[in-house]
Amino acid sequence: MDRANLKKPLWISHRGYHNRAVENTFEAFRAAVDLGFTACETDLRITNDGHIVLIHDPTLLRLAHDSRRVSELSRFHLERIRFAGGGKPFFLDELVREFAGTNWTFDIKPEKGLQTIRAMVDWTRSRRLEAWLSNQVKFLLWHKDHEGFLKTLWPGAVCYARKTECRRADLAVLIGLPGLGGIQRNRTYAVPPKLAGIKFFRSVIVDRFHREQARTVAFLPKTQQDARRAVAAGFDEILTNGRMVDSDLS
């Protein structure tokens, strides 16, 4: 395969560019978009009054020194929280209003995941945003039944391979027997920088997935050198906490 003719990868900013701002805040996503990212990843949770808030952890302890659970709070209470590093909780309706042109990966957290899915779909339909959800959003879910529920409500939903699927597929690809990995056509699999102590951002790894007609996302390169390796290896997507790198570098 001629690596020089590979398409440039889709760069996804993990929770926004939180080297400049607290993760999952307006400021973090604004920084990512200003840096040139066309896609961002964020985490969805539901409040006790049915609003969707973009917070990774089940509690506010890490970000706001507050041990309360997100799902036990109302939007009214969350809007009055201020994170220790600056910024405040960001909500789905604000995301759509402020970043209408950005593509998204929605990581729907497993705690109250079914309620979150239902609320997200209902809210989308009530605002007539079906085209936005279909064209600009992909999903990561943690349980098979959650993915099944989402696809029942939203048959066209595009979902990444779940963590357990990725582990199985990555191990099968590592030993050169991708057929044992249960790899599904057109599904996207997360690949870490290393597996079993072996550097995994290599073209031979990506090629094995591509031969199964699957896609790959480089999952959180730890350094810019790792990111460059992911580009050179031909990954379809790169999910990163850092900046983008020149796709012509090797």
Side-chain angles (χ1 to χ4, degrees), residues 62-183:
R62 179 170 60 90
L63 296 181
H65 309 305
D66 187 328
S67 62
R68 289 179 294 178
R69 298 185 71 81
V70 174
S71 61
E72 296 171 352
L73 298 173
S74 68
R75 178 165 183 159
F76 175 86
H77 289 102
L78 282 165
E79 286 180 330
R80 282 148 184 80
I81 295 289
R82 294 298 179 269
F83 295 137
K88 61 181 182 178
F90 199 46
F91 291 83
L92 178 61
D93 57 302
E94 296 173 320
L95 178 153
V96 175
R97 183 174 67 247
E98 300 291 344
F99 299 100
T102 302
N103 296 314
W104 292 91
T105 295
F106 284 172
D107 182 345
I108 299 180
K109 308 316 285 187
E111 301 87 358
K112 296 187 179 294
L114 296 178
Q115 294 96 316
T116 304
I117 292 166
R118 168 68 75 180
M120 178 198 66
V121 171
D122 287 349
W123 181 86
T124 299
R125 287 183 171 139
S126 72
R127 302 305 191 278
R128 297 183 179 179
L129 291 169
E130 292 92 343
W132 171 81
L133 193 67
S134 295
N135 298 328
Q136 291 178 236
V137 180
K138 294 192 285 188
F139 298 91
L140 174 63
L141 298 109
W142 293 81
H143 298 310
K144 186 175 182 179
D145 60 331
H146 289 188
E147 182 174 340
F149 182 63
L150 171 62
K151 289 186 174 181
T152 297
L153 297 179
W154 203 266
V158 176
C159 299
Y160 286 88
R162 297 181 304 279
K163 185 176 181 180
T164 52
E165 293 179 84
C166 292
R167 284 178 175 172
R168 178 183 175 188
D170 290 343
L171 286 170
V173 164
L174 177 65
I175 63 175
L177 296 171
L180 299 180
I183 298 171

Side-chain angles (χ1 to χ4, degrees), residues 11-16 18 41 56 107 140 189-194 201 217-227 230 235 237-242:
W11 288 87
I12 308 169
S13 184
H14 184 237
R15 305 182 205 167
H18 46 94
E41 183 267 359
H56 178 271
D107 182 345
L140 174 63
Y189 292 82
V191 177
K194 288 185 178 181
F201 287 176
V217 53
F219 182 72
L220 299 180
K222 296 181 182 299
T223 65
Q224 286 292 85
Q225 186 177 19
D226 278 341
F235 276 87
E237 303 176 6
I238 300 175
L239 177 66
T240 178
N241 286 322

Side-chain angles (χ1 to χ4, degrees), residues 15 17-29 63 83-88:
R15 305 182 205 167
Y17 190 61
H18 46 94
N19 286 347
R20 289 188 184 171
V22 174
E23 64 185 50
N24 283 328
T25 60
F26 165 80
E27 293 81 4
F29 296 130
L63 296 181
F83 295 137
K88 61 181 182 178

